[in-house]
Amino acid sequence: MAPLNSLSKEYPLIDSNFQTFCASHAIYSVEDFLLHDLDALFASAANHSNSERLKQGIHQLLLIVDALHPPVLNGLQLIEDAKRNKHVFSTGCEGIDALLGGGLRVGQLTELVGPSSSGKTQVCLMSSSTVAKNKCSVIYLDTGNSFSPQRIAYFVGQSSDYVSVNQNILDRIICYPVFDVYQMFDLLHQLKINLRSQIVKSDHQVQVLIVDSISSLITPILRGNGPQGHALMISSGFLLKQLAHEHNIAVLVTNHVVGGDDGNPKPALGESWKSVPHVRLLLSRDCRSNVSNISIIKHPAMASGRSATSTRLFV
Amino acid sequence: MEIGMLPISASKRGKLLAAGYTTLHSILRTSTTHLARDIEVSESEALEILNFATRSSDLDKSSGSNANVIHGGQTAWDMLNEERFSSLITTSCLDLDNILGGGINCKEVTEIGGVPGIGKTQIGIQLAVNVQIPLDYGGLGGKAIYIDTEGSFMVERVLQIAEACIEDLSEYSHHFYKDNQAFGVKMHPNSILENIFYFRVCSYTEQIALVNYLDKFVTEHKDVKIIIIDSVTFHFRQDFDDMALRTRLLGEMSLKLMKLAKNFSLAVVMLNQVTTKHIEGSFQLTLALGDSWSHSCTNRIILYWNDDERHAYIDKSPSLKSASAPYSVTSRGIRNSTSSSKRIKMV
């Protein structure tokens, strides 16, 4: 926690007098302040010569602390926020939409898990084209050079009548090649700043963020000689969920599978990552056929184990 | 926790947190000497940390003209237009080119795997020669990097394939320009050999070091258009005790290759071996290096035998349909299969 003297530049109330007073109570940092009994501190300040200034200093510290936590919402405010902001975006595939209860939900982190070539990138591309057709912007982080504008044009062209409309639609999908996890963090931070400053017009508002695939960014840093990689993984999940909730974005990430203990494949990235996404779907493809099977591993509102099939992904 | 997102070592991060620097803002407000004193590191290390923090916070200040596109991104429309001019490297086998949409794509990482003897090295050598086909003949006129881990690169064979390629080109120009005067192909087999940069690696550390070095190499030799790694598996299969380390190293290597392919617009072709895997009660052949590696390529082609005939099957691709095509390995290189049924089998 920050030492108190670092606050003195910005907050003139926390001057050296105040700091000496705090030091007399063994308070050297903000952490010590939070742990101390505030009533006793107020009482002790009242006994000092410049008690008013000291009390103002204590109040100032409390104000700083108050400004740093997110706002408290009650249930009614939450449901109003949900109705107004938290829309659902269709993915373009009826089977998946049915499993997701309508589609990708704003404010939630949805994860697609599956072995190689099971259709995860196809779902991402199809969702991008459907969302773009519905006049919303998509940001696509691509780690494996798998973003295929040809395929997007195919999905868009399938159900739109005018060829000239395509440019507007395709302009709404922005693809960023990302090759390491720090690059992803920089990008997400920049996105957060852009969204906070609200310099974007309403029809270019980013509503969907896709990371394909997050496991290839995180696997090289996991299980190294320290918990650093683990911490980065959890903080990336936290950042994505924060972006989703505060800025009303639906986030979709893809993950791959690894061999489990009993031979069955299980999602990669381990036990801690399991609790990070809100919704997890498992994709698989029947050997060399065009049918893909999708089932729910985890969903806050649907029964897990429900499954659906789709033939549109590989056509 | 913004400190967590700076690319610094864990011990430095711990020191920063212990001294009370939890946000980037708090680091930026101090000077180098204060920082060095507070976290007990040398001044040069403190300066490095400050530079990282400044770079991250510089993102705050830069507000581009197009507020949507953060630096580094491209809209799908721009990419679609660019793709029309994208370059493809032919494999000299028409059927194979057809299922690939014209050839091996630049800007993508393609993995080709198959049983021993199916022709992986032959395809690698053919591609190293074909990338040098001049622009006039529809090729790329580029150079090739061939990374050999197994020692299967035979220079005599390359010479043979190069000579055959030049003969084919002059025959093509003969037919095309038969009215005009002789449009001689100004290529010599030796010049083809000169344009293949050959690296021989003998251990996995050499392989990783080489991939790291390629960035610098390609910056100096901007006309390299293909990197062939034959084979990417060899040094990672025997005697690798720590599987977790192997997964990490492979993941990092694949990200670097993806970055090379994207930044320099070249094709990366990785040749892989096969192993058996126990799926659903039976043993099946799959590509080596495990499940995590199977996600490290953009496209995957599997080569297999079908009744004495060699076939290639597209196993993974974001934009190509699953299809298989026959091909054959001749003395002139990879060519169309001469079997009676010449239709492409769509799966």
Side-chain angles (χ1 to χ4, degrees):
Chain A
M1 288 265 177
L4 280 177
N5 54 13
S6 66
L7 294 169
S8 56
K9 279 191 222 138
E10 276 180 36
Y11 303 99
L13 277 174
I14 307 185
D15 54 3
S16 46
N17 270 342
F18 186 74
Q19 287 172 32
T20 333
F21 167 68
C22 289
S24 66
H25 289 269
I27 297 178
Y28 297 105
S29 70
V30 177
E31 187 182 8
D32 298 334
F33 178 81
L34 288 173
L35 291 172
H36 204 273
D37 182 357
L38 286 174
D39 287 333
L41 202 64
F42 269 117
S44 156
N47 293 340
H48 266 251
S49 48
N50 46 352
S51 62
E52 273 313 307
R53 197 150 165 86
L54 288 178
K55 282 187 190 166
Q56 280 176 354
I58 298 176
H59 277 298
Q60 175 72 75
L61 265 184
L62 286 174
L63 268 178
I64 298 172
V65 169
D66 262 342
L68 288 174
H69 69 73
V72 180
L73 297 171
N74 64 31
L76 194 61
Q77 288 168 324
L78 273 178
I79 209 169
E80 274 172 10
D81 175 58
K83 278 193 200 150
R84 206 179 334 127
N85 297 328
K86 308 285 195 252
H87 313 292
V88 166
F89 289 105
S90 161
T91 57
C93 175
E94 298 90 25
I96 300 184
D97 282 347
L99 285 182
L100 292 175
L104 299 171
R105 186 169 291 272
V106 165
Q108 281 189 349
L109 176 60
T110 309
E111 183 191 31
L112 297 172
V113 179
S116 175
S117 178
S118 51
K120 308 186 288 292
T121 305
Q122 296 300 309
V123 173
C124 294
L125 294 173
M126 202 192 291
S127 310
S128 311
S129 51
T130 315
V131 169
K133 267 194 284 192
N134 293 336
K135 297 196 173 45
C136 294
S137 267
V138 180
I139 288 193
Y140 196 107
L141 300 189
D142 179 22
T143 68
N145 292 341
S146 311
F147 182 78
S148 164
Q150 225 181 334
R151 195 77 176 130
I152 298 259
Y154 173 75
F155 283 131
V156 167
Q158 266 195 328
S159 48
S160 81
D161 301 319
Y162 311 104
V163 178
S164 60
V165 181
N166 280 357
Q167 176 169 6
N168 284 338
I169 299 178
L170 289 177
D171 264 342
R172 291 192 196 112
I173 307 174
I174 306 168
C175 173
Y176 296 86
V178 183
F179 301 110
D180 76 77
V181 68
Y182 297 111
Q183 215 181 340
M184 179 181 75
F185 276 128
D186 281 347
L187 209 76
L188 292 177
H189 274 138
Q190 182 65 64
L191 177 63
K192 201 156 86 159
I193 290 159
N194 282 359
L195 287 170
R196 272 209 193 131
S197 52
Q198 286 171 330
I199 39 179
V200 196
K201 301 184 286 251
S202 61
D203 63 331
H204 283 284
Q205 186 75 29
V206 172
Q207 295 264 264
V208 176
L209 172 67
I210 300 182
V211 183
D212 177 23
S213 66
I214 202 164
S215 53
S216 53
L217 291 178
I218 293 183
T219 317
I221 54 170
L222 271 186
R223 284 175 294 179
N225 44 0
Q228 194 170 337
H230 205 84
L232 278 172
M233 174 175 82
I234 299 297
S235 56
S236 68
F238 175 74
L239 185 57
L240 288 169
K241 290 206 283 193
Q242 191 186 33
L243 270 173
H245 180 71
E246 280 179 18
H247 300 281
N248 298 325
I249 299 179
V251 183
L252 178 63
V253 301
T254 61
N255 191 4
H256 62 263
V257 292
V258 289
D261 297 321
D262 49 353
N264 286 333
K266 61 173 191 183
L269 298 182
E271 294 290 315
S272 325
W273 178 259
K274 265 184 177 177
S275 54
V276 170
H278 296 108
V279 178
R280 304 184 96 195
L281 296 178
L282 176 69
L283 272 81
S284 65
R285 180 182 182 183
D286 293 339
C287 210
R288 295 199 180 187
S289 79
N290 279 345
V291 179
S292 67
N293 298 317
I294 313 128
S295 63
I296 301 181
I297 306 178
K298 172 184 173 188
H299 195 288
M302 300 287 206
S304 69
R306 264 187 73 176
S307 64
T309 58
S310 169
T311 46
R312 277 198 62 207
L313 296 178
F314 299 110
V315 168
Chain B
M1 203 167 70
E2 292 163 33
I3 299 274
M5 296 164 200
L6 285 179
I8 52 181
S9 73
S11 56
K12 287 209 190 86
R13 189 168 310 151
K15 285 183 186 167
L16 280 171
L17 287 173
Y21 295 98
T22 46
T23 62
L24 284 178
H25 196 45
S26 51
I27 299 183
L28 289 171
R29 273 194 304 203
T30 62
S31 67
T32 323
T33 34
H34 280 146
L35 191 65
R37 192 193 57 210
D38 282 340
I39 59 175
E40 290 157 28
V41 295
S42 70
E43 289 238 1
S44 56
E45 288 178 327
L47 187 61
E48 205 187 309
I49 296 177
L50 266 178
N51 282 343
F52 279 132
T54 327
R55 191 181 56 90
S56 301
S57 79
D58 267 348
L59 297 174
D60 291 9
K61 295 170 197 134
S62 69
S63 55
S65 53
N66 185 354
N68 304 336
V69 184
I70 309 168
H71 176 67
Q74 264 187 312
T75 64
W77 179 255
D78 292 337
M79 287 177 81
L80 186 65
N81 288 337
E82 261 180 33
E83 253 198 2
R84 292 210 189 106
F85 307 110
S86 79
S87 1
L88 300 160
I89 306 173
T90 172
T91 56
S92 292
C93 166
L94 192 60
D95 292 333
L96 196 50
D97 279 350
N98 279 345
I99 61 167
L100 287 172
I104 302 280
N105 216 332
C106 283
K107 287 194 182 182
E108 287 183 0
V109 174
T110 309
E111 186 182 6
I112 303 180
V115 293
I118 194 99
K120 304 188 291 292
T121 305
Q122 301 302 312
I123 292 185
I125 297 177
Q126 184 73 60
L127 289 170
V129 169
N130 285 356
V131 75
Q132 301 179 42
I133 295 177
L135 290 159
D136 300 336
Y137 293 87
L140 276 103
K143 301 192 178 161
I145 291 179
Y146 197 99
I147 301 176
D148 187 7
T149 60
E150 295 174 340
S152 43
F153 187 80
M154 301 264 84
V155 190
E156 297 85 357
R157 178 67 173 142
V158 184
L159 197 58
Q160 210 181 20
I161 293 183
E163 281 167 352
C165 180
I166 294 179
E167 274 172 29
D168 284 349
L169 286 183
S170 53
E171 204 185 298
Y172 167 80
S173 76
H174 229 336
H175 281 246
F176 210 65
Y177 299 103
K178 53 182 171 229
D179 298 333
N180 304 349
Q181 62 275 36
F183 203 73
V185 182
K186 300 176 192 63
M187 279 170 69
H188 195 263
N190 284 351
S191 65
I192 294 193
L193 289 180
E194 260 179 21
N195 289 337
I196 303 181
F197 298 107
Y198 175 80
F199 293 92
R200 175 83 169 95
V201 289
C202 302
S203 70
Y204 77 90
T205 34
E206 277 184 40
Q207 195 172 336
I208 295 175
L210 180 59
V211 172
N212 290 345
Y213 171 66
L214 278 178
D215 194 51
K216 193 156 157 257
F217 188 84
V218 180
T219 320
E220 287 164 18
H221 297 90
K222 283 246 156 63
D223 39 4
V224 168
K225 285 288 168 212
I226 188 170
I227 298 177
I228 300 155
I229 307 182
D230 175 17
S231 62
V232 76
T233 342
F234 188 65
H235 294 300
F236 286 93
R237 282 187 94 174
Q238 25 258 61
D239 305 328
F240 223 99
D241 295 325
D242 189 356
M243 278 296 150
L245 176 67
R246 191 180 90 162
T247 316
R248 267 202 321 279
L249 291 175
L250 287 173
E252 244 185 272
M253 189 173 75
S254 77
L255 280 177
K256 293 210 173 79
L257 289 169
M258 287 282 178
K259 193 173 180 181
L260 271 175
K262 187 77 179 191
N263 288 346
F264 296 104
S265 289
L266 41 85
V268 177
V269 175
M270 307 191 294
L271 304 177
N272 199 355
Q273 298 163 353
V274 290
T275 179
T276 48
K277 189 169 159 179
H278 188 89
I279 306 176
E280 293 154 20
S282 69
F283 285 101
Q284 288 182 20
L285 279 181
T286 57
L287 294 190
L289 293 181
D291 294 314
S292 314
W293 180 253
S294 57
H295 297 265
S296 314
C297 56
T298 313
N299 303 315
R300 188 179 314 124
I301 303 172
I302 297 190
L303 309 175
Y304 62 99
W305 284 104
N306 189 1
D307 303 330
D308 284 352
E309 210 183 16
R310 291 178 163 90
H311 281 251
Y313 170 69
I314 296 194
D315 188 47
K316 173 184 174 184
S317 168
S319 55
L320 298 167
K321 223 183 261 226
S322 278
S324 71
Y327 69 98
S328 67
V329 180
T330 66
S331 59
R332 302 168 66 79
I334 305 283
R335 293 291 184 269
N336 272 350
S337 159
T338 47
S339 70
S340 50
S341 67
K342 294 218 174 177
R343 281 193 306 276
I344 303 171
K345 301 181 193 67
M346 299 294 253
V347 174

